[in-house]
Amino acid sequence: MTPEEFKLLLEGKIAKNREEFEGLYKSELNELMGLSKDEIELVTPGLTDMQIYDQLIIVVKEASRANIEQTQLVKSIQELGEVAVKIAKKVPGLATLFA
């Protein structure tokens, strides 16, 4: 990869990241990313939780960027499994979606 190609790649990722953090679920995303490792491990300890947590962040980022409806976001989180739902419920803005 040339330096110019790398620069273009970074610019694209930065723009996408900005869209994610300025999108529909920006406050939920900030709350989710603010969870500590201890809070996540309270769900069920282990490396799997951290992997699911990372996947959950990706789902919420993409939903925020694309302004996905709440019902679709809930469905996408549920598809990640029970642990993802438990982690999501630790975030007040996401927990209300499962009430």
Side-chain angles (χ1 to χ4, degrees):
M1 178 176 290
T2 68
E4 292 162 354
E5 291 171 329
F6 182 69
K7 182 179 177 184
L8 288 174
L9 176 71
L10 286 179
E11 288 172 354
K13 296 233 181 228
I14 290 169
K16 182 180 174 188
N17 192 51
R18 187 177 317 114
E19 289 174 356
E20 293 165 353
F21 281 95
E22 293 174 355
L24 184 61
Y25 301 106
K26 64 183 174 186
S27 64
E28 290 85 352
L29 183 57
N30 285 326
E31 291 173 1
L32 180 62
M33 294 187 73
L35 292 176
S36 70
K37 185 175 180 177
D38 290 339
E39 289 174 300
I40 296 163
E41 287 184 349
L42 284 175
V43 173
T44 51
L47 291 177
T48 303
D49 287 354
M50 293 308 292
Q51 292 170 348
I52 292 172
Y53 173 66
D54 287 342
Q55 293 170 0
L56 178 60
I57 288 173
I58 291 168
V59 166
V60 177
K61 278 183 174 182
E62 287 303 312
S64 186
R65 184 187 61 75
N67 293 316
I68 298 298
E69 292 183 18
Q70 290 180 349
T71 54
Q72 181 60 47
L73 175 58
V74 168
K75 182 180 176 188
S76 296
I77 293 171
Q78 288 172 331
E79 288 174 356
L80 292 176
E82 183 180 333
V83 172
V85 172
K86 286 181 181 179
I87 295 170
K89 287 181 177 180
K90 291 193 163 289
V91 174
L94 294 174
T96 60
L97 301 178
F98 293 93

